[in-house]
Amino acid sequence: MGDMKSIDAAQAARDDLLLELERTRQRTRALITSLPEEKLAVPYHPGVNPPLWEMGHAAFFYEVFVFNLLDGTPSFDPAMDDLWDSFHVEHRDRWNRDLFPGRQDTLGYFDTIYGRVAERIRSRPLDDRTLYLNRYAIFHQNMHIESLIWCRQTVGYPQPPGAVKRRPAPGQPVAGDAVIPAGRWMIGMPGDSAAYATTDFAFDNEKPRFEIELDSFAISRQPVSNAEFRAFVDDGGYQKPELWSFGGRKWLETEVDVALVHGSQEFMPRVPKHPLYWRWHEHQWQERLFDRWQPLTPDAPVTHVSFWEAEAFCNWAGRRLPTEFEWEVAALGNRVDQLFQRFPWGNREPDETRADLDGRCLGQNPVYDYPESDSPFGCRQMIGGVWEWTSSQFFPYDGFRIDMYPFMSTLQFGDHKVTRGGSCATSSCLIRGTYRQAYLPQRNDVFTGFRTCAR
């Protein structure tokens, strides 16, 4: 009987892995094939990559971390190895179409590698290391799915396939703060676990788990909305240097080219006066969502704001940003010697009733929707919607050990800020409450927002 159960569990793991692989393949393909040929040559921007390069890079990752590590298999095309490797090809060189194959050849390479990965999963033993490496490669590709989505926003392309304009989980406002009691809490994922390939899968920067003592604090139940941030803008928040830190003032005084934001072919240097994708037009604030300008949705979370903007808003409002450990405690509430939960609602995987993920609702639903997402303390939408800025620098936890991919975290340590919770463009298979995303504080081209704490 025990043997039958282990066989069933192994088959279930194989089936789940194949399902996630195929879902990832189809989503990536749709993001490429839904663009006409001329739109594949996206304008240069430091925050994005050309879509075809993203696709080839993701396929190459399977070659390196599945076939090479497990089988010693040579590359599909060794001449392309350095070009698909993000650490061997300069960022600007990825726009050189002479170096890279076109759409059909890249799709052919992508599908060939996916076919080989699927066949390997079906036909070979699926031990923990194999499962871990395959999941790692799939999750890596889902990170690139998110970057393919924000690329469309950056360059003003149509919204991604699969996006819907509906509210799958309407809620009522939950204004005010949740008060988190003082105590000892658990942070992060286990450094060593027998379930490292399954329920305890995590990236190196989330490990090893540790205990922390925190004083009581109060944190907003909802993310900051467009209407709340608009009040800061309308009150002249961008013209009040006393609200901005030294780094914030430097950012505020630095001109950036906003030609892509406004669909202009001409250089448009501007200093920030409001969130990047806002404009005052026809006597109202409007926001650009992919290729369309629309009236600002008041109750939606403010999105595409930098750390400096979030920090200045907090100073204006007499509030502060949470530390990343406060954020995780408010989201998960994991105590020592209790069942550890990975999501605010428990350990059930996210679905569309609990979070705005997978490029579906694109951060346009009210900050009080998804009532089933509430944390143990009543904080809402701590998964999905927008990545939430914290006040914390991105540093390794004590006892940090590099995973199989040495550049997953190490290049960001020190000068990046920690965001938490995932965004509307994050894949649901990827996110959990311990997940740490690192962005430079000036980044405002990604799906970043925030919530605040009482001082």
Side-chain angles (χ1 to χ4, degrees):
M1 192 67 168
D3 288 345
M4 287 299 295
K5 284 185 177 179
S6 65
I7 291 170
D8 289 345
Q11 189 57 48
R14 196 184 306 275
D15 291 344
D16 288 347
L17 190 61
L18 286 167
L19 181 65
E20 200 58 66
L21 178 75
E22 181 60 19
R23 183 184 292 123
T24 300
R25 184 180 83 90
Q26 293 294 349
R27 288 191 67 203
T28 306
R29 263 187 142 271
L31 285 162
I32 302 296
T33 59
S34 59
L35 293 174
E37 186 69 33
E38 66 273 11
K39 286 189 178 294
L40 290 173
V42 297
Y44 179 79
H45 185 279
V48 304
N49 285 302
L52 285 179
W53 185 88
E54 295 261 26
M55 175 176 258
H57 168 72
F60 176 70
F61 200 92
Y62 288 94
E63 291 206 76
V64 173
F65 291 104
V66 176
F67 296 123
N68 188 270
L69 278 182
L70 292 174
D71 305 328
T73 305
S75 301
F76 177 84
D77 181 359
M80 289 298 297
D81 285 0
D82 285 353
L83 296 177
W84 293 134
D85 189 330
S86 54
F87 294 98
H88 285 93
V89 61
E90 291 288 339
H91 189 251
R92 275 194 177 274
D93 287 340
R94 299 169 199 176
W95 271 259
N96 186 340
R97 294 298 294 269
D98 293 336
L99 291 176
F100 297 95
R103 182 204 298 258
Q104 288 312 118
D105 287 342
T106 304
L107 283 168
Y109 167 56
F110 180 83
D111 285 338
T112 297
I113 298 304
Y114 259 74
R116 291 179 180 178
V117 173
E119 179 55 32
R120 195 190 192 288
I121 293 169
R122 281 191 290 264
S123 62
R124 303 282 291 276
L126 193 61
D127 58 23
D128 283 346
R129 183 166 187 261
T130 303
L131 178 59
Y132 172 80
L133 291 172
N134 276 282
R135 293 187 79 200
Y136 204 110
I138 290 170
F139 294 156
H140 165 266
Q141 180 155 359
N142 277 277
M143 296 177 188
H144 285 278
I145 286 175
E146 178 158 6
S147 62
L148 282 166
I149 292 173
W150 88 55
C151 174
R152 286 181 177 235
Q153 169 69 17
T154 299
V155 301
Y157 282 2
Q159 65 185 24
V164 294
K165 191 172 184 178
R166 60 189 176 89
R167 292 174 66 189
Q172 296 297 320
V174 285
D177 287 343
V179 178
I180 316 300
R184 196 159 187 83
W185 307 92
M186 298 299 293
I187 299 292
M189 296 293 280
D192 294 294
S193 169
Y196 77 97
T198 53
T199 53
D200 284 341
F201 182 99
F203 296 110
D204 54 12
N205 64 67
E206 300 171 71
K207 301 180 286 188
R209 181 176 291 164
F210 61 93
E211 299 176 21
I212 189 170
E213 195 85 35
L214 290 179
D215 293 334
S216 177
F217 64 96
I219 186 170
S220 53
R221 289 187 170 91
Q222 302 174 165
V224 172
S225 68
N226 278 327
E228 291 172 306
F229 203 86
R230 183 180 62 199
F232 166 69
V233 176
D234 289 345
D235 192 46
Y238 285 74
Q239 287 75 50
K240 296 179 178 179
E242 66 273 15
L243 298 175
W244 300 73
S245 63
F246 178 82
R249 288 194 296 274
K250 185 174 180 180
W251 177 82
L252 198 62
E253 295 162 1
T254 303
E255 287 188 338
V256 294
D257 182 14
V258 297
L260 279 178
V261 175
H262 298 281
S264 172
Q265 301 297 315
E266 303 295 325
F267 181 56
M268 292 180 65
R270 298 284 189 277
V271 294
K273 295 181 179 178
H274 48 70
L276 178 64
Y277 294 110
W278 288 22
R279 71 176 183 183
W280 180 256
H281 186 71
E282 296 180 349
H283 310 293
Q284 65 177 338
W285 283 111
Q286 296 181 343
E287 181 179 27
R288 205 200 79 202
L289 186 67
F290 294 92
D291 62 342
R292 299 178 184 277
W293 287 96
Q294 62 180 33
L296 197 66
T297 307
D299 290 338
V302 66
T303 311
H304 302 295
V305 289
S306 68
F307 170 84
W308 304 122
E309 290 165 290
E311 182 185 58
F313 173 93
C314 287
N315 290 333
W316 172 80
R319 307 276 291 179
R320 65 175 177 87
L321 289 171
T323 69
E324 66 162 318
F325 301 143
E326 289 174 332
W327 189 99
E328 186 171 326
V329 169
L332 303 181
N334 284 313
R335 288 192 179 273
V336 180
D337 299 326
Q338 291 183 357
L339 178 67
F340 192 91
Q341 63 179 44
R342 293 176 294 129
F343 303 104
W345 54 84
N347 280 312
R348 181 178 169 183
E349 298 293 327
D351 60 33
E352 66 171 12
T353 69
R354 286 180 166 84
D356 179 10
L357 295 161
D358 296 314
R360 281 195 298 264
C361 298
L362 304 175
Q364 292 301 294
N365 289 334
V367 292
Y368 47 78
D369 274 8
Y370 306 97
E372 290 187 46
S373 74
D374 283 5
S375 79
F377 302 106
C379 294
R380 188 160 296 179
Q381 289 191 34
M382 298 195 85
I383 296 292
V386 289
W387 288 103
E388 297 188 15
W389 289 110
T390 72
S391 62
S392 301
Q393 294 293 114
F394 188 58
F395 286 121
Y397 294 164
D398 286 347
F400 170 82
R401 291 197 312 238
I402 294 174
D403 276 347
M404 61 141 197
Y405 183 38
F407 304 117
M408 175 57 69
S409 309
T410 53
L411 298 181
Q412 287 79 46
F413 286 145
D415 58 351
H416 288 56
K417 289 289 185 180
V418 177
T419 64
R420 292 295 199 108
S423 79
C424 56
T426 303
S427 296
S428 53
C429 69
L430 189 61
I431 196 62
R432 60 198 152 268
T434 61
Y435 192 106
R436 307 168 75 209
Q437 178 65 279
Y439 289 122
L440 290 167
Q442 66 265 29
R443 286 295 294 269
N444 57 1
D445 57 319
V446 290
F447 293 90
T448 47
F450 63 105
R451 74 180 66 221
T452 65
C453 283
R455 283 182 175 167

